[in-house]
Amino acid sequence: MSTLLEQLKAVTTVVVDSGDLGAIEQFRPVDATTNPSLLLNASQLEFSKPLLAQAVAYAKSKSSDLATQVSIASDKFAVDIGTQISKLVPGRVSTEVDARLSFDTQASINKALQLVALYEENGISKDRILIKIASTWEGIQAARQLEQQGIQCNLTLLFHMAQARACAEAGVFLISPFVGRILDWYKANTKQDYTAETDPGVVSVREIYRYFKSYGHKTVVMGASFRNIGEVLALAGCDRLTISPGLLEELNQQQGTLTVYLKDTGATAKETAALTEAEFRWALNEDAMATEKLSEGIRKFAVDQRKLETLIQAQLQA
């Protein structure tokens, strides 16, 4: 009998949520995703040390201003990690725009273009990467413009149907609704336990998936931020799932019969008017979980970005 991971790969595109080349090589996913937290962790691994030194040297060759060097080296390190990952996966690597730009549409676009240019310097074409941007209104508008330029995006930190709808209506290639962080909020605020079936994160992603399919939206739904394999298995059949190495190992060790919960049965609903900015902001405002987790996620990614920059600055000044 095949493992649960093998069965899952037959119905869902499995993506590794890691910057660890060893883990990616072990599980051989189609795609891989990174973020500032994963890059910070990767910076401590042996394989990344030459890449970090290379990024520092590159930044020094481009500018004599320390702040500019830190910015360049941070982007270069992220892209060089992504470049190494791209050698191990046949699909795409997601690389994140600085979370501190989450409320600045033009700055997000500019940063995305810089990342794409760095990938092109490494010989990696834009059809091998996804630009990750937080699912703020400003981030979604940045993605709209980038998609029109042929740069496909992964909209992350997504906790609410309004975010999902706005992304689909903007023509975003892929969204990453966060399952585990939704569960975290509900467990902390209700003091209840949840099964895989009642898990609010699972319920949210199922709702988004079915909405997209019923309206014929082409945006890919990729469940993310899992806390346990129960959440993963409850979303079998989703377009994609990005899963940590630890949970992939659990799935690889278990056998049984996989139940497929999500299937595309075709578009049946009539097109509705696109969400306005006011409607989007009000919907988020009315949902404490979505508002708090979006803000918290941006803050946490910004903290880890600053930690990585502090590490890089120390090397620049060494």
Side-chain angles (χ1 to χ4, degrees):
M1 184 178 291
S2 59
T3 68
L4 289 176
L5 180 57
E6 290 169 334
Q7 294 175 67
L8 183 65
K9 283 183 173 182
V11 297
T12 291
T13 299
V14 172
V15 180
V16 170
D17 198 13
S18 177
D20 182 347
L21 297 185
I24 292 166
E25 193 163 17
Q26 177 185 356
F27 294 107
R28 291 290 173 179
V30 174
D31 294 343
T33 58
T34 64
N35 62 45
S37 304
L38 295 174
L39 289 174
L40 179 64
N41 291 337
S43 72
Q44 306 304 309
L45 301 176
E46 201 60 37
F47 85 89
S48 76
K49 291 178 182 177
L51 298 179
L52 199 56
Q54 177 179 300
V56 166
Y58 178 89
K60 285 182 175 179
S61 74
K62 296 295 182 180
S63 175
S64 58
D65 175 71
L66 181 60
T68 303
Q69 288 177 344
V70 170
S71 177
I72 293 172
S74 297
D75 290 346
K76 177 66 173 169
F77 179 64
V79 166
D80 286 353
I81 291 282
T83 299
Q84 293 301 311
I85 292 172
S86 73
K87 297 174 183 178
L88 301 176
V89 299
R92 298 168 182 262
V93 178
S94 290
T95 299
E96 193 142 352
V97 165
D98 189 334
R100 293 167 295 186
L101 305 178
S102 296
F103 303 102
D104 189 329
T105 296
Q106 190 57 52
S108 294
I109 292 169
N110 294 344
K111 180 63 73 174
L113 294 175
Q114 290 167 13
L115 293 171
V116 169
L118 285 170
Y119 269 111
E120 289 178 343
E121 284 184 19
N122 285 357
I124 306 297
S125 60
K126 61 187 177 184
D127 63 350
R128 294 292 317 281
I129 60 174
L130 293 176
I131 296 297
K132 281 180 81 174
I133 304 174
S135 300
T136 57
W137 180 260
E138 294 82 0
I140 294 167
Q141 302 320 304
R144 181 194 298 274
Q145 293 187 48
L146 289 166
E147 294 280 355
Q148 291 170 356
Q149 297 179 47
I151 297 169
Q152 294 184 311
C153 299
N154 170 355
L155 271 288
T156 188
L157 294 174
L158 194 146
F159 303 98
H160 195 278
M161 176 61 82
Q163 292 172 288
R165 271 192 63 187
C167 287
E169 289 161 1
V172 168
F173 176 76
L174 179 148
I175 60 169
S176 296
F178 275 30
V179 180
R181 295 195 196 188
I182 294 177
L183 175 64
D184 293 345
W185 190 92
Y186 276 95
K187 287 178 73 173
N189 285 273
T190 68
K191 309 303 179 187
Q192 295 179 22
D193 290 322
Y194 296 88
T195 66
E197 282 298 306
T198 62
D199 184 313
V202 170
V203 171
S204 175
V205 176
R206 286 181 176 180
E207 180 187 6
I208 290 167
Y209 177 90
R210 288 166 180 154
Y211 180 91
F212 276 22
K213 302 312 174 189
S214 68
Y215 280 91
H217 289 309
K218 302 302 182 185
T219 298
V220 174
V221 180
M222 182 172 74
S225 170
F226 293 104
R227 297 294 178 256
N228 54 68
I229 63 168
E231 289 181 321
V232 175
L233 297 174
L235 292 173
C238 193
D239 297 329
R240 303 186 190 192
L241 298 174
T242 182
I243 308 168
S244 69
L247 294 182
L248 285 171
E249 183 60 38
E250 281 190 55
L251 290 165
N252 200 40
Q253 295 299 321
Q254 294 196 28
Q255 296 184 332
T257 302
L258 182 76
T259 301
V260 180
Y261 291 98
L262 296 176
K263 296 179 181 178
D264 183 358
T265 56
T268 56
K270 294 182 179 179
E271 187 175 347
T272 57
L275 276 179
T276 65
E277 179 179 352
E279 289 169 337
F280 174 91
R281 293 193 186 282
W282 182 251
L284 281 188
N285 181 75
E286 287 294 275
D287 190 316
M289 176 279 296
T291 298
E292 291 172 22
K293 297 308 287 186
L294 174 59
S295 297
E296 177 190 75
I298 291 170
R299 285 195 303 271
K300 286 187 173 180
F301 280 160
V303 165
D304 284 342
Q305 179 68 31
R306 284 192 288 267
K307 287 180 180 177
L308 181 60
E309 289 176 355
T310 298
L311 179 69
I312 286 169
Q313 182 168 324
Q315 293 209 17
L316 282 163
Q317 293 177 312

